[in-house]
Amino acid sequence: MKFLLLCLLSQILGRFNRARAAQLTLPHFVCQTPLFMPVGTQGTIKGLTNNELERIGCQIILGNTYHLALRPTFELLEEAGGLHNFMNWPRAMLTDSGGFQMVSLLHLADITEEGVTFQSPVDGKLMLLTPEESIHIHNRIRADIIMALDDVVKTTITGPRIKEAMYRTLRWIHRCIAAHRRPHDQNLFGIVQGGLDPVLKDICVKSLVDCNLPGYAIGGLAGGEDKDSFWRVVAQCTAALPEDKPRYVMGVGYPLDIVVCSALGADMYDCVYPTRTTCFGTALIPERVLKLKHRAMADDTQPIDPTCPCMVCKNYIRTYIHCLVTKDAMGSQLLSSHNLYYMMRLSRNLHTSIVEGRFPKFVCDFLQTMFPKGD
Ligand code: PRF
Ligand code: ZN
């Protein structure tokens, strides 16, 4: 078997029951977990400069091979020496395989054993993304962590398709491993599929663990399933995954989900929510959310969150942002900056509270602020 674990060093710094705080040494950056990764689909986090992202405390960003391969094209990225150079991002980066994005974004995608066939939204041509091709693109983009191509189905569907997708994901991981040309500086993560079925999940986790990958993701969640099922699946997977490897819950999440999943032993998360919800004028605050479009904000002269030390909360009042959100891109840019700061602060607080042995108090305070009436 190929030795796949050269570049990622995962060191656990503290634990509380199943929760862990760790340090991931990646080729471009040493990251602290629990870790939230902002989504920068096209090689940018909309409206934020790299300097700002660094200042906010962002350690790793996520890109999608599917989007990047179409535009700017992976030939250009390879010429630039990878996406880090192209976008001048000095810290860590993770690229998702593209299969999920195609299936969720394009209705035309068709999945067969060979790979995912889809119609290019750029020129309308039919394209086939195989596990080998997906790894080939990852290898040209050169992110620190690369996700295997998986066959994703919605958690809300039932029947034999879930089993088919899980077994196909397992067959594809072997093709991904065989195609990987940069195991010395790119960490290939496998993705657990199998819907919400505990038997399928169990088979999938065990088979992926046998591949001795540098890390594992729990996929197929955050697709409309109820919280009980979602948290049960995360708990089952983290219990069966190796202690010394990072566990990444894909497409999650909301601050509450991150706190719960971290308590269940997960380490990494990504979600478009903190940056996408800004289009609707939504800010994340400890009491859940603040709707800046609301009429009450028109004469509210407080910062978004008086307890937040971010640049936006230090410099602007709600009235100002209320005026901007419907009229100028600056409104959602300021909100994105605050929201990402909120997610970074949450990750950091999870990390330090675990390391310092005060995780239960942190969780209690977090929940009490979010649900003051116990609702
Ligand atoms: N697989 C991949 N990317 C993802 C997911 C997945 O299951 C999810 C969860 N729905 C988000 N992003 N490859
Ligand atoms: Zn703020």
Side-chain angles (χ1 to χ4, degrees):
M1 181 189 296
K2 254 205 251 178
F3 187 55
L4 288 167
L5 208 125
L6 262 173
C7 51
L8 189 149
L9 184 73
S10 176
Q11 192 188 357
I12 297 189
L13 306 175
R15 291 174 198 275
F16 192 90
N17 289 340
R18 296 176 65 171
R20 317 108 64 76
Q23 182 165 286
L24 300 184
T25 303
L26 294 167
H28 288 89
F29 203 68
V30 179
C31 302
Q32 313 294 318
T33 72
L35 179 61
F36 178 79
M37 304 182 281
V39 182
T41 302
Q42 311 273 5
T44 79
I45 314 282
K46 271 203 185 73
L48 296 182
T49 63
N50 292 347
N51 272 342
E52 245 177 307
L53 288 171
E54 284 187 66
R55 207 157 2 108
I56 285 169
C58 173
Q59 310 180 60
I60 175 167
I61 57 171
L62 187 144
N64 289 311
T65 56
Y66 157 71
H67 293 93
L68 294 164
L70 293 174
R71 201 173 19 222
T73 77
F74 56 78
E75 287 87 356
L76 264 179
L77 291 175
E78 188 173 41
E79 226 169 84
L83 183 57
H84 277 95
N85 284 355
F86 186 71
M87 67 177 284
N88 195 26
W89 173 247
R91 298 189 174 178
M93 199 180 282
L94 176 150
T95 41
D96 198 359
S97 52
F100 169 71
Q101 285 72 30
M102 279 180 232
V103 177
S104 64
L105 300 175
L106 309 173
H107 300 295
L108 293 163
D110 180 33
I111 304 173
T112 60
E113 191 58 25
E114 194 44 24
V116 185
T117 305
F118 65 101
Q119 192 172 24
S120 161
V122 174
D123 58 12
K125 261 200 257 162
L126 272 189
M127 301 173 71
L128 172 68
L129 185 75
T130 61
E132 292 78 11
E133 180 62 13
S134 152
I135 294 291
H136 188 202
I137 301 171
H138 276 312
N139 284 166
R140 290 175 176 207
I141 295 176
R142 307 237 197 129
D144 303 68
I145 298 176
I146 62 178
M147 304 308 299
L149 187 68
D150 52 344
D151 184 356
V152 190
V153 289
K154 284 212 169 90
T155 43
T156 44
I157 73 157
T158 50
R161 175 73 185 103
I162 299 174
K163 188 172 177 180
E164 179 193 53
M166 188 280 280
Y167 278 108
R168 182 169 288 143
T169 298
L170 288 179
R171 288 190 295 276
W172 283 359
I173 188 71
H174 294 289
R175 290 170 56 187
C176 288
I177 293 170
H180 192 12
R181 293 286 166 270
R182 302 190 67 93
H184 53 286
D185 66 359
Q186 291 191 289
N187 296 284
L188 174 63
F189 279 28
I191 306 175
V192 181
Q193 292 296 345
L196 304 173
D197 183 328
V199 176
L200 295 180
K201 277 294 201 246
D202 188 54
I203 296 169
C204 196
V205 173
K206 286 193 173 128
S207 309
L208 286 177
V209 171
D210 283 344
C211 297
N212 190 26
L213 295 160
Y216 299 93
I218 303 167
L221 296 175
E225 68 281 358
D226 61 83
K227 294 276 187 200
D228 275 0
S229 317
F230 161 40
W231 290 335
R232 181 180 47 72
V233 166
V234 173
Q236 187 201 343
C237 292
T238 53
L241 285 166
E243 272 287 308
D244 59 344
K245 309 271 180 84
R247 297 116 176 221
Y248 163 26
V249 190
M250 305 190 85
V252 169
Y254 299 120
L256 176 62
D257 291 339
I258 292 183
V259 172
V260 174
C261 290
S262 298
L264 295 173
D267 309 301
M268 300 165 65
Y269 311 92
D270 79 280
C271 190
V272 291
Y273 174 69
T275 41
R276 198 162 284 170
T277 197
T278 60
C279 312
F280 311 105
T282 307
L284 300 174
I285 56 169
E287 298 79 13
R288 279 187 254 192
V289 291
L290 188 72
K291 303 275 183 193
L292 271 305
K293 277 191 187 170
H294 200 278
R295 231 182 305 119
M297 297 295 127
D299 51 12
D300 189 333
T301 55
Q302 299 179 79
I304 295 174
D305 170 8
T307 71
C308 175
C310 90
M311 178 278 292
V312 181
C313 292
K314 273 205 250 157
N315 292 295
Y316 302 98
I317 56 172
R318 294 176 180 182
T319 315
Y320 176 67
I321 297 166
H322 169 81
C323 293
L324 286 182
V325 275
T326 45
K327 296 182 189 67
D328 195 286
M330 180 62 97
S332 68
Q333 281 167 29
L334 292 176
L335 286 177
S336 286
S337 180
H338 163 82
N339 283 356
L340 285 183
Y341 188 92
Y342 176 96
M343 299 308 292
M344 296 307 141
R345 187 152 73 131
L346 175 63
S347 308
R348 216 169 28 243
N349 286 340
L350 285 166
H351 179 89
T352 47
S353 70
I354 297 167
V355 171
E356 292 170 7
R358 7 172 222 94
F359 183 62
K361 169 143 187 5
F362 175 78
V363 176
C364 280
D365 292 348
F366 175 88
L367 294 175
Q368 252 161 25
T369 312
M370 196 170 260
F371 305 101
K373 297 188 208 114
D375 49 349

